[in-house]
Amino acid sequence: MSAPDASGHLPANGVTLAYDCFGDAAAETILLIAGLGTQMIRWTEAFCRALAERGFRVVRFDNRDSGRSTAFTAHGATDFAALSAALAEGRRPDLAYTLADMAQDAVELLDALSVRRAHVVGRSMGGMIAQILASEHPARVGSLTAIMSSTGNPGLPPAAPDAMALMMRPAPDPSLDEAGFVAQAVAVARRLAGRSDPLDEAAYRALIRAELRRGYVPGGFGRQLAALVLAGDRRARLAAIRAPTLVVHGTEDPLFPLACGQDIADSIPGAAWLPIQGMGHDLPPSLHGPIAEAIARTARRATPSVPGEQPAIDPGRGA
């Protein structure tokens, strides 16, 4: 696989973000936002190339507190018992940062890259950040795609208990027990994968080891999870989104059940709903082409980028 066409670090919102790019620098930009506790390389080079081949410049980046972007290790590990107690008492816990901060990171990364407007694609927690970006910064978002994400609606079905237990199980310190750390990550991924595309465990082990080589951030998962938990219900803000929107979700997602994706589609006027039979909480290689094409089709529904002009919306729901 060829390397990215450009890469580096840029200041944004008081942090430094690691990023790379694929495709023609003069083309419209697709911005990919990663999920909870993961790095930008979860958007594989093959997937980025599939989007670039459809005529876009593709930018992926490490969220704050992951990979090679600014880490918040000085804030320490998240005390979830204290967080729960504060919520029970009606107090808002102190957080290292919020999902709104992470959305502002993305806006300022676009500024640093001289991109006025991008087609924003987020997966899982990244889909939540993308929702905030599209609702709070509409002029910066040409189109929105949310993959395996949710609205924060407290009435939605919860995650499968065994999947959540695996996610929350403390991981071994990879500096002391890399094999144990990788084995636990594979166990989680195996549970989250859909039956239509069983996990390629060898490839996934290689991905986890690549993340460890790039930069493991102790406590980053917990601090990002705290931001996610405290993000609240976004439905009222989603109703104001006018950018063409696509919602992609697996029918076998054990972390965010199918109703979570449907809730996003129901909350955004004109959103296209694309449930994928047998897909879990993952993005297997067999789906790279179809999902890339659906993202590209959604991006092409946006009006041309004109300073001061908001994107128009296509009233149709077909992706």
Side-chain angles (χ1 to χ4, degrees), residues 64-247:
R64 60 167 64 195
D65 226 6
S66 66
R68 295 176 177 172
S69 290
T70 297
F72 283 70
T73 49
H75 289 261
T78 301
D79 185 338
F80 283 98
L83 185 149
S84 297
L87 292 176
E89 296 168 2
R91 295 184 289 109
R92 184 172 180 85
D94 290 331
L95 301 179
Y97 45 80
T98 66
L99 291 194
D101 292 326
M102 298 175 81
Q104 186 64 34
D105 293 349
V107 170
E108 296 192 22
L109 176 62
L110 294 177
D111 290 342
L113 291 168
S114 300
V115 175
R116 196 192 72 83
R117 189 177 75 162
H119 303 289
V120 179
V121 179
R123 59 193 291 169
S124 195
M125 181 191 73
M128 302 174 189
I129 295 169
Q131 292 167 42
I132 295 170
L133 208 164
S135 60
E136 300 300 314
H137 305 275
R140 309 304 299 271
V141 178
S143 68
L144 167 66
T145 298
I147 304 172
M148 52 191 178
S149 194
S150 189
T151 61
N153 175 358
L156 289 168
D162 65 316
M164 182 55 69
L166 276 172
M167 287 279 292
M168 296 303 295
R169 180 182 172 191
D173 182 338
S175 68
L176 302 174
D177 183 9
E178 180 175 310
F181 181 92
V182 172
Q184 181 165 323
V186 170
V188 173
R190 188 188 301 122
R191 177 62 184 92
L192 299 186
R195 285 176 292 182
S196 63
D197 284 276
L199 181 69
D200 182 339
E201 295 192 11
Y204 194 78
R205 285 189 186 92
L207 174 62
I208 297 302
R209 290 194 174 101
E211 286 190 329
L212 289 174
R213 287 194 299 273
R214 290 188 76 247
Y216 172 69
V217 180
F221 174 90
R223 290 185 293 271
Q224 289 186 357
L225 180 59
L228 187 160
V229 169
L230 272 293
D233 189 341
R234 287 173 293 281
R235 287 175 294 167
R237 289 184 290 176
L238 298 186
I241 292 176
R242 294 296 178 266
T245 297
L246 169 67
V247 181

Side-chain angles (χ1 to χ4, degrees), residues 282-314:
D282 61 353
L283 194 60
S286 66
L287 294 174
H288 286 178
I291 291 177
E293 183 56 37
I295 292 169
R297 205 156 51 235
T298 303
R300 294 182 190 116
R301 290 169 54 200
T303 56
S305 181
V306 176
E309 183 178 86
Q310 298 298 315
I313 189 165
D314 184 333

